[in-house]
Amino acid sequence: MKFVLRVLVLLVICLFIGYNTDLFFEKTAEKNEAYDKVEQKNIPTEAKKANETSDRLPTNDESLGTFVNQDFSKVKEKFGDPIRVDKTPYGYDNYVYNQPNTSYMLVGVRNHKVQTVYALGQDLNLKPYQIGMSVEKVFTNAKLQSEIAFYYENNFYRFELSENDLNMRPVVSLGSGVYAQLNFDKIEGKLTSVRYLNKLSFIKMHPYELNYQGKIYKENVSDALWNQVDKAADLEVLEITNVLRERYGAEPVADEQNVAKVAYGHSVDMAENKYFSHDSPTYGSLGDRLKDGNVNYTKAGENIAYNYIDAGAAVEGWLNSPGHRKNLLEKTYTYMGSGTFRKYYTQNFVTK
């Protein structure tokens, strides 16, 4: 009888541990389908003229949007030296500023010219916008557009926004070939970040479904460059996660290299074996993979994403998915490991 009771107690303990391992484990995952929708079409001249975006919004002389297409020296004069420079697959380098987190931004620079700015810090000047601004206030004087169209070097490009795009990441023209992608926390209805782009970075990143006539601009990314891009993305995922955790009242998580190795292995496995799931056909569940990686923990969770344009887009995708958001902002997690491989993102959290 005592033996039976011991077995039952052990079973209960095992079930409890297994339950807590997956307590914040979201089985759905974030996959960006729009990035693959690029099509060359014969677009009638009348349609080009009708669709060419002409709306303009007022900007502020000191707003970050005014730095786009300007020499990087102007950014340096105002903000000083970046903490590091990250590689991207889009032909520009990201100059990273995060001192403090409330001023976090990535400034994309090519040939000394600013191509794009990803602005996440709540203290940054984004006028007429402000981080935390309500959706209603953002669009008081702004018109939602389901299409953005423009010419670039005698080529015509038309980006089509889905209903999901309009709700989560609409875009507006600021004039002079500069656009602002407005990224929202759709759950709380607030502005999370602003991504400023010039025409070339818009084309290369194509964050929306794209129809074009003429030339498509795409970088040839070597394996060596991809390795640098992936390592940079891991750092950015950690930083952006901690900016958002601080904003939503959670303590930052520390980088844990053994956890990161497990995350990276899962991203590589998904890419090489062409699947997209938390459960690996070869290496099993998150719990299995953490055990194989000699990671001790009391609770663990995982977020995965695929085909997002960069780390910022992937993390904000998780923020807008209830299960992933729960992992992202869970206050009891103390460590995180990020593993990126060729646009496959895996983010593992653990509590020790």
Side-chain angles (χ1 to χ4, degrees):
M1 185 65 180
K2 289 183 179 179
F3 175 77
V4 173
L5 286 173
R6 286 175 184 171
V7 170
L8 288 172
V9 169
L10 285 172
L11 282 172
V12 170
I13 292 172
C14 289
L15 286 170
F16 179 78
I17 292 172
Y19 175 76
N20 275 272
T21 298
D22 291 338
L23 184 59
F24 296 100
F25 190 72
E26 176 68 14
K27 294 296 183 182
T28 57
E30 289 299 306
K31 188 174 183 180
N32 183 13
E33 304 287 356
Y35 189 82
D36 288 328
K37 295 180 180 178
V38 179
E39 186 175 354
Q40 186 167 11
K41 289 184 175 181
N42 289 320
I43 303 172
T45 302
E46 294 77 12
K48 293 178 186 177
K49 290 180 179 178
N51 282 292
E52 190 169 11
T53 305
S54 58
D55 283 15
R56 301 288 183 267
L57 289 178
T59 55
N60 180 280
D61 288 341
E62 296 183 356
S63 169
L64 281 180
T66 61
F67 288 102
V68 177
N69 291 326
Q70 301 299 313
D71 195 272
F72 176 67
S73 61
K74 293 188 176 182
V75 176
K76 198 170 180 179
E77 285 174 11
K78 185 171 181 62
F79 297 99
D81 293 322
I83 62 165
R84 68 172 188 277
V85 179
D86 288 348
K87 292 296 182 182
T88 79
Y90 302 113
Y92 61 80
D93 293 335
N94 269 335
Y95 287 64
V96 183
Y97 290 85
N98 77 336
Q99 301 295 331
N101 273 351
T102 52
S103 296
Y104 189 90
M105 65 177 178
L106 305 176
V107 182
V109 180
R110 178 189 178 102
N111 297 329
H112 306 290
K113 298 290 185 182
V114 176
Q115 307 293 303
T116 178
V117 179
Y118 174 69
L120 182 69
Q122 61 190 32
D123 291 342
L124 295 170
N125 184 348
L126 312 178
K127 291 181 180 178
Y129 311 112
Q130 184 178 354
I131 299 301
M133 184 179 286
S134 69
V135 173
E136 294 79 12
K137 191 170 183 179
V138 167
F139 290 110
T140 298
N141 298 309
K143 179 183 176 183
L144 276 176
Q145 295 174 303
S146 59
E147 292 184 355
I148 292 288
F150 55 76
Y151 284 93
Y152 181 76
E153 294 185 346
N154 297 318
N155 306 297
F156 184 75
Y157 303 89
R158 183 172 65 204
F159 295 88
E160 299 178 1
L161 282 69
S162 66
E163 184 177 350
N164 191 51
D165 292 329
L166 290 170
N167 288 330
M168 291 174 53
R169 45 184 174 269
V171 63
V172 293
S173 172
L174 301 180
S176 302
V178 179
Y179 300 85
Q181 183 188 54
L182 309 174
N183 299 306
F184 290 107
D185 173 350
K186 70 175 184 180
I187 294 173
E188 293 197 359
K190 296 179 180 179
L191 185 67
T192 306
S193 70
V194 177
R195 187 190 299 272
Y196 299 98
L197 310 102
N198 65 9
K199 289 183 177 181
L200 183 58
S201 60
F202 207 145
I203 295 164
K204 286 186 176 182
M205 298 172 84
H206 59 270
Y208 312 104
E209 182 175 346
L210 169 62
N211 295 314
Y212 71 98
Q213 186 171 351
K215 178 181 178 181
I216 191 70
Y217 294 83
K218 190 174 182 180
E219 297 292 323
N220 292 318
V221 185
S222 66
D223 287 342
L225 179 55
W226 266 124
N227 290 338
Q228 295 180 71
V229 169
D230 292 341
K231 289 178 181 178
D234 289 340
L235 292 172
E236 292 168 12
V237 166
L238 176 65
E239 291 165 348
I240 293 167
T241 294
N242 279 333
V243 170
L244 292 174
R245 285 177 66 86
E246 181 180 323
R247 186 179 299 174
Y248 288 90
E251 291 294 320
V253 285
D255 184 33
E256 217 282 15
Q257 283 301 301
N258 287 333
V259 178
K261 288 178 183 177
V262 172
Y264 179 73
H266 190 55
S267 290
V268 172
D269 185 36
M270 288 191 291
E272 292 183 346
N273 293 293
K274 296 179 173 55
Y275 75 94
F276 186 61
S277 171
H278 290 286
D279 296 318
S280 166
T282 306
Y283 303 105
S285 68
L286 171 60
D288 296 327
R289 289 180 272 118
L290 289 173
K291 181 179 179 181
D292 291 341
N294 296 314
V295 176
N296 296 316
Y297 63 95
T298 57
K299 183 166 65 177
E302 178 173 84
N303 290 336
I304 59 175
Y306 171 62
N307 221 23
Y308 280 84
I309 58 176
D310 60 12
V315 176
E316 293 201 48
W318 290 328
L319 184 69
N320 277 302
S321 169
H324 297 91
R325 181 191 185 96
K326 201 170 187 180
N327 282 336
L328 196 70
L329 305 179
E330 169 56 38
K331 293 183 178 181
T332 61
Y333 286 137
T334 51
Y335 295 93
M336 192 204 91
S338 176
T340 308
F341 183 77
R342 310 300 192 269
K343 292 189 180 293
Y344 283 86
Y345 299 86
T346 301
Q347 180 185 48
N348 289 341
F349 294 94
V350 298
T351 302
K352 291 189 176 184

